[in-house]
């Protein structure tokens, strides 16, 4: 049968009967011989196709959407010219060049063009029997033109048994694949059964079966029909195996289906409907992957993320595990991997911000400026871990906010008071119901950067119970050598915390475990003295409360003397919280007067006016009471709300046995100091020229006033000695004198703490001379000279020096004559 006859049979027989090629059935075949012969020396039009490879002798319909391609096919149809059919390597490319096209092509003619409204034109192409090789593209406008060379195909003997077996195998495999596949219609099966010639049938299968484009190009490049059939059989066998496997899975699924599985399939159908509406799981997973590609995370985290996304794809969206997995992935994406804010390393600006927000606190400010200076010079360093400790209300937490503002870093406050579960710090394993990451990871997500300032507020209030010890979990967080690989149980990957500046706050270092305390740089934020509180109130508290109560600056004038009166008589604290409340109360009263229609527009508050707003004074400061009584000595004490003066009183009464009585709610250490003082005087009676038998015939009573207040500590040691010595000798104590220091049985004077607060308390009480241990001299040098004016310091090493300084030679009025009393007895 001639090739012309073959084509006529194809066009005029099976297509009209099968219904699968209705468009082709109306086409009158144009024998190849009527087409102009091909001149391979001239340039030919090149029509690029997407996702299609045209094989020799095959007729196919295509949709033409590109303007250049439509112009090409119209001219070729009108002039009866052959065209080159090339396949694009990348289907989405609009203007391909020769490097974007497969070089192996076919020649074809345009049989018919169908144009319909609102749809791209349909063009019917008929391939030539020859293949060509595209050598170059010569023109791109108005459409592609190029030079091709003919690709000779080796002839095949169609009478051999091998050829017949190969042809039958191709036909049978193709039939089975069509029967199993849901991608090809039954009209394809009818064509395979129509008995077409071998070369045409093979090329038809190669063109129309859903093989990958690269495999179709390999088929097109085969040198002869036998080689093409071998490769085609291989591809058909692979597709057939996949189709059979799919059918077996579907069959087993249908056999094992029950109510739960039916619900699953219904949910799958719902998912498909959601996919069509644009709300499906695939869009959600694609969005997750897209966000993951934009993250600057380490390779191991990227690998874990991809693995977890793949796991999410395999989970039914209606399963509870789906939301657990999705929450985990969203947590991973929510962390600021590799995101850092730029530090403001302007030292002058940082100093200005810190001074503006806080008055005093020089040591803390100096430490922050040191950190900035090193960071500026080195350009990379681990952030320090600072612990600010001191009494409540002194500004530890607000200082952390100022540090963040000075550095221009993100600020996060994490309250640790009452936390007693280790999982609060490290997180829960994600396999648990309701699992979530720890507070550290949550804080980073909230901050949005990997180098924020995180305030660990009230770290001394961490608890522990059967659920673990969170303070032990903090060891890794606050260790600069370990926190670059912090491991959260929920994330299950390491996270770098070395660039985070942790600032812990505490009131009492005694409750912090030693191992945790060792990892932090301790900076004491001591209580404010009256002068500092006045400045804080004037600069910060008064403007703040004016704004909070709707008042203007010109409405209220509070003098420094009034502020001092409020501090001294209405507050007793180390910080300024109570002071802020009192100022707020004053402002509220003024706001009430204005709201009632008061004619007064400017309220000037002086000390005499304070009682009108705050009532009678709540506290009174102890004042120096003179030296008219023997045995009354002024001591200095430290309290949580600042320094105080206290009086140690000693009285003597006749009685056998020399009984020592201690009253005033004294602690064990303070009682021991009294006993040490008495034993020292008993051992050194010659030092004070005491009468013989005085300790056997006189009972001694030591009392510290304000008996309802507990008192303890060794710092009243030299005060006890001086009080006993004054009572036993009836000598006056030097006027306007106070003292503090610990004693030993050998008479040594030891240093004590809280010197700054004690000195300021002494100054407020009108004290002029202060006795201290020699080793406390360095503490005095740390205090600003302006607070020391009017005070004389006497540094001692031994009790003998204390008694020499403290006791005068003058006897008190009505002094007891121990010698006569003893002789009379």
């Amino acid at each position: 049968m001639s090739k012309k006859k073959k084509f006529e049979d194809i066009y005029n027989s099976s297509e009209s009967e099968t219904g699968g090629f209705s468009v082709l059935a109306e086409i009158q075949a144009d024998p190849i011989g009527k087409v102009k012969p091909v001149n391979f020396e001239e340039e030919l039009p090149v029509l690029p196709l997407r996702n299609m490879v045209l094989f020799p002798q095959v007729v196919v319909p295509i949709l033409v959407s590109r303007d250049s391609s439509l112009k090409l096919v119209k001219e070729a149809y009108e002039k009866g010219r052959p065209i080159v059919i090339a396949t694009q390597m990348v289907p989405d490319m609009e203007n391909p060049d020769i490097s974007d096209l497969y070089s192996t092509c076919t020649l074809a003619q345009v049989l018919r063009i169908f144009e319909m409204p609102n749809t791209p034109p349909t063009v019917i192409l008929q391939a030539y029997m020859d293949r060509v090789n595209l050598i170059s593209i010569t023109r791109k406008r108005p459409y592609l033109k190029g030079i091709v060379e003919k690709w000779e195909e080796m002839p095949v003997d169609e009478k051999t048994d091998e050829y017949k077996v190969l042809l039958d195998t191709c036909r049978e495999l193709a039939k089975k694949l069509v029967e199993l596949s849901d991608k090809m219609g039954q009209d394809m099966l009818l064509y395979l059964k129509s008995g077409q010639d071998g070369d045409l049938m093979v090329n038809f299968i190669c063109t129309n079966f859903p093989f990958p484009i690269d495999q179709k190009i390999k088929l097109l490049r085969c040198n002869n029909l036998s080689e093409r059939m071998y490769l085609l059989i291989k591809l058909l066998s692979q597709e057939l195996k996949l189709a059979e496997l799919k059918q077996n899975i579907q069959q087993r699924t249908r056999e094992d289906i029950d109510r739960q599985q039916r619900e699953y399939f219904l949910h799958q159908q719902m998912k498909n409907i959601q996919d069509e509406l644009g709300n499906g799981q695939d869009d959600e997973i694609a969005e997750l992957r897209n966000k993951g590609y934009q993250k600057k995370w380490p390779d191991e985290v990227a690998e874990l993320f991809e693995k977890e996304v793949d796991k999410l794809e395999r989970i039914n969206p209606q399963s509870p595990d789906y939301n657990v997995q999705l929450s985990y992935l969203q947590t991973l994406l929510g962390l600021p991997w590799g995101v850092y804010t730029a530090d403001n390393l302007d030292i002058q600006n940082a100093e200005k911000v810190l001074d503006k927000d806080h008055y005093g606190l020089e040591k803390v400010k100096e430490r922050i400026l040191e950190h900035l200076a090193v960071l500026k010079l080195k350009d990379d360093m681990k952030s320090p871990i600072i612990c600010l400790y001191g009494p409540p209300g002194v500004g530890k937490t607000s200082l952390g906010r100022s540090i963040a503002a000075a550095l221009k870093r993100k600020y996060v406050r994490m309250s640790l008071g009452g936390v007693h579960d280790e999982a609060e710090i490290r997180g829960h394993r994600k396999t648990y119901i309701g699992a979530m990451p720890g507070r550290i990871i949550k804080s980073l997500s909230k901050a949005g950067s990997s180098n924020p300032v995180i305030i660990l507020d009230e770290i001394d209030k961490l608890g522990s119970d059967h659920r673990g010890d969170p303070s032990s979990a903090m060891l890794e967080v606050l260790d600069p050598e370990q926190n670059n690989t912090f491991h959260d149980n929920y994330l299950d990957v390491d996270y770098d915390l070395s660039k985070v500046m942790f600032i812990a706050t505490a009131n009492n270092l005694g409750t912090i475990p030693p191992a945790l305390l060792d990892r932090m740089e301790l900076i004491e934020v001591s209580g404010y003295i009256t002068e500092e509180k006045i400045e804080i109130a004037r600069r910060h508290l008064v403007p703040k409360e004016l704004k909070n109560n709707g008042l203007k600056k010109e409405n209220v004038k509070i003098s420094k003397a009034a502020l001092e009166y409020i501090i001294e008589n209405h507050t007793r604290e180390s910080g300024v919280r109570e002071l802020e409340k009192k100022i707020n109360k004053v402002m509220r009263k003024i706001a009430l007067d204005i709201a009632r229609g008061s004619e007064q527009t400017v309220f000037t508050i002086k000390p005499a006016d304070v009682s009108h707003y705050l009532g009678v004074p709540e506290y009174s400061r102890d004042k120096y009471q003179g030296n008219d009584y023997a045995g009354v000595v002024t001591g200095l004490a430290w309290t949580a709300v600042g320094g105080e003066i206290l009086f140690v009183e000693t009285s003597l009464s006749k009685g056998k046995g020399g009984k020592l009585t201690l009253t005033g709610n004294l602690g064990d250490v303070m009682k021991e100091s009294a006993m040490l003082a008495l034993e020292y005087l008993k051992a050194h009676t010659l030092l004070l020229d005491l009468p013989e038998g005085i300790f056997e015939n006189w009972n001694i009573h030591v009392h510290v006033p304000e008996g309802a207040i507990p008192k303890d500590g060794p710092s009243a040691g030299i005060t006890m000695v001086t009080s006993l010595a004054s009572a036993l000798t009836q000598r006056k104590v030097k006027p306007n004198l106070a003292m503090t220091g610990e004693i030993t049985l050998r008479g040594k004077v030891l240093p004590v703490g809280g010197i700054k607060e004690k000195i300021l308390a002494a100054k407020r009480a009108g004290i002029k001379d202060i006795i201290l241990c020699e080793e406390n001299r360095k503490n005095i040098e740390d205090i600003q000279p302006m607070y020391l004016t009017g005070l004389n310091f006497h540094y001692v090493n031994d009790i003998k020096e204390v008694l020499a300084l403290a006791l005068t030679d003058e006897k008190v009025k009505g002094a007891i004559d121990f010698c006569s009393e003893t002789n009379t007895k």
Side-chain angles (χ1 to χ4, degrees), residues 633-665:
V633 182
T634 305
L636 299 175
W638 178 92
T639 69
V641 296
E644 294 286 345
I645 67 169
L646 56 79
F647 301 100
V648 177
E649 303 174 350
T650 301
S651 66
L652 304 176
S653 60
K654 292 181 180 179
K656 284 290 184 180
K659 181 181 177 183
L660 174 65
T661 303
L662 303 173
T663 57
N665 203 355

Side-chain angles (χ1 to χ4, degrees), residues 48 73 104 138 184 214 222 359 383 429 464 494 701 734 766 776:
V73 296
T104 306
T138 56
M184 293 178 283
D214 57 340
C222 292
Y359 182 81
S383 290
R429 297 287 179 190
S464 61
D494 292 338
H701 187 157
K734 185 177 180 180
N776 282 127

